Amino acid sequence: MGVGADNKTESTSSKFTLQQLKEKEEVELGHAEAMRPAKDDHQSAEPRETWGRRLEFVLASVGYAVGLGNVWRFPYLCYRSGGGAFLIPYLIMLFLCGIPLLFMEFTVGQYTRLGPVHSLAKICPLFKGVGLATVVISYVLCTYYNVLMTWALYYLLHSFSLSLPWQSCNNTWNAVGNCSTGFPGNATHLKSASQQFFDHKVLEMTTGIEHAGGIRWELFGLLVLAWAIVYFCIFKGVKSSGKVVYFTATFPYFILFALLVNNVQLPGARDGILFFLMPNWSKLLEVQVWVNAAAQIFNSIGISFGSMISMASYNKFNNNILRDTYIVSLANSATSIVAGFVIFSAIGYMAHIHNLPVDDIATDGPGLVFVVYPEVFSTMPVSQLWAPLFFIMLLCLGLDSQFAMVEVAVTFIMDGFGKKVLQVFKRKELIVLAVCSVGFLLGIPHITRGGIYVFQLMDHYTAVVSLMFLAFFEVLAITLIFGVRRLSIMLENMLGKKPNLFFRVCWQFLSPMLVLGILISSIVQYTPARYSKSYTYPLWAEVVGWFISLVSIIWIPLGALHELWTTEGSLLQRLKKSITPTIDLESVSEKPSGESIALFAAA
């Protein structure tokens, strides 16, 4: 009896202990589950797709970062901002802002497995509008970025003729009285044949933005083709774009290195390269040079455009994003420097041929790619080979960036309204088609005869003015309000170790201070948009430009007001709730170990 009583007591005690253990494990598992991003109520019922291989993510990210800005913006900024001396602030900004902030965006995207809108809403509800602002700025950018692809297609098709059409003044579009078969130098009344081809044949440009001049139907057809290419490359999501980037992300490097080998052998190439790299140390004392370096890093890598967060959201949970961060950022900067050698060796060659200073030929913006370089090809041996390869390279560079920007909008729609939208469109492919179709319609103003002025206006106010505002508020939301401690826990949960001291210091102090300094300097040294050196936009166009900036920026205060309005309690309570993340990371140390789970199973 005693034994029986003892056995019964032991059994009851065991059951009680087992029940306690079960309850404890349920709590711990609940905490562990909370550390992973909970599935959003609005998300599609379909499981989130992932990249087929890690290499696809790396190539897509490199392809997005390495774009047309590496070919025209960096070389010109470098020579204008101190030549070789510019590399000092550029590399400092790369290591103190570019690499840490790219690592930050990869972390947020991969951990939450959501696009920028919903990931930032979970991290810092008060600044959920920042995520929507990044989607808007990326989509606005993609509506006119594809116009560059349209121009590249136009040049590609015309580069297969027996003689390149931009190398002579004997064409119907040339104004013979002021046409020069070479670069006119200081003769301001003359234009080169390649400049006239771009102005009078490709664009048929008017005298200003106030004269739209009707649609260029050839460009209209090529814009349709450009968007069709984008659609068929991404309509299956990362499953299709991940395969396309094997070609589009690698092919430009073959052409770039082939051009480099060819160009450095040309007469005068040395002078162009020296002009590109000749250090002007006094420029380092100018604030604008540091602003230019930081702006180039942000524009080129794609910080605050939402694309890197979107692409990282399709990664597997434990993907090594630190290694990917180094690969993407360093490949981007190395490509910019190589492109500088390619471009300025060619410019030195042109200066040698026409007996002009390099400074008279170097230019900024689309003119460098669509005016100067076509002129270079017209004088190079085997021009019919180099010209098509160059414009195919431009297409690849542009398409990779375009894929990522369109994917931001698609990711936002699927994360936020997946179930409802799929009830209407039935298939994701039709949603992508709708996104591309709207982007095409918004791009039509750029292919009118006055479209180049619209293009320049939007590029100035989107890629310069808006970007710095978004970068500041994104860094504020993630590193200062959400906090470096929580960001470190996210990384530890994914990679098994916390970020090193360098990243923590950059996130906590250096990156926010630098971004704030860049924003203030951009405001203080603001200059209105201009086209070329002569055309000044009318006042109403400047107002439109600021409206374009506000289209993205306005979502930041609107999102904050909406969050405060919908949260219950006093103003102080609502503010406190609005800066509290909805992802529970506080219990990461309580994650159940393999040993405790094994003991539970044994019990």
Side-chain angles (χ1 to χ4, degrees), residues 234 237-238 310 314 402-412 428:
I234 69 169
V238 296
S310 289
Y314 297 105
Q402 187 73 358
F403 294 161
M405 289 185 287
V406 176
E407 188 60 49
V408 171
V410 175
T411 300
F412 163 62
K428 183 181 176 181

Side-chain angles (χ1 to χ4, degrees), residues 141-336:
L141 188 62
C142 83
T143 61
Y144 71 86
Y145 198 85
N146 227 21
V147 176
L148 293 169
M149 303 301 97
T150 302
W151 296 342
L153 284 169
Y154 192 94
Y155 273 86
L156 176 62
L157 295 176
H158 283 77
S159 64
F160 291 109
S161 56
L162 294 176
S163 61
L164 298 177
W166 51 80
Q167 68 183 123
S168 72
C169 292
N170 302 321
N171 303 288
T172 56
W173 59 82
N174 292 122
V176 180
N178 66 347
C179 182
S180 169
T181 52
F183 287 96
N186 293 325
T188 55
H189 67 286
L190 295 177
K191 284 186 176 182
S192 67
S194 60
Q195 183 71 61
Q196 289 200 356
F197 178 80
F198 184 62
D199 292 346
H200 304 324
K201 177 62 175 174
V202 180
L203 303 178
E204 294 185 9
M205 63 185 292
T206 60
T207 56
I209 194 172
E210 59 272 22
H211 304 292
I215 294 175
R216 282 278 291 114
W217 291 107
E218 288 177 286
L219 296 182
F220 181 89
L222 291 175
L223 184 62
V224 173
L225 177 60
W227 273 108
I229 293 172
V230 171
Y231 172 74
F232 284 111
C233 289
I234 69 169
F235 77 113
K236 289 289 187 181
V238 296
K239 296 298 183 184
S240 57
S241 60
K243 302 298 183 291
V244 174
V245 293
Y246 281 109
F247 174 76
T248 56
T250 56
F251 180 75
Y253 285 98
F254 290 103
I255 304 303
L256 206 58
F257 281 106
L259 285 170
L260 179 63
V261 172
N262 178 76
N263 289 4
V264 295
Q265 302 177 62
L266 298 172
R270 181 174 175 272
D271 295 333
I273 293 173
L274 289 177
F275 187 82
F276 168 53
L277 291 178
M278 188 66 67
N280 182 356
W281 301 111
S282 63
K283 287 283 189 179
L284 294 180
L285 301 177
E286 297 180 12
V287 175
Q288 188 59 42
V289 170
W290 293 81
V291 173
N292 289 342
Q296 176 61 21
I297 289 293
F298 277 78
N299 274 286
S300 186
I301 295 181
I303 304 296
S304 302
F305 284 104
S307 297
M308 291 305 190
I309 294 178
S310 289
M311 289 192 291
S313 72
Y314 297 105
N315 277 334
K316 294 178 180 178
F317 188 73
N318 59 351
N319 179 60
N320 189 350
I321 45 176
L322 177 58
R323 176 177 54 190
D324 297 343
T325 298
Y326 284 122
I327 292 173
V328 172
S329 53
L330 295 178
N332 171 69
S333 295
T335 305
S336 294

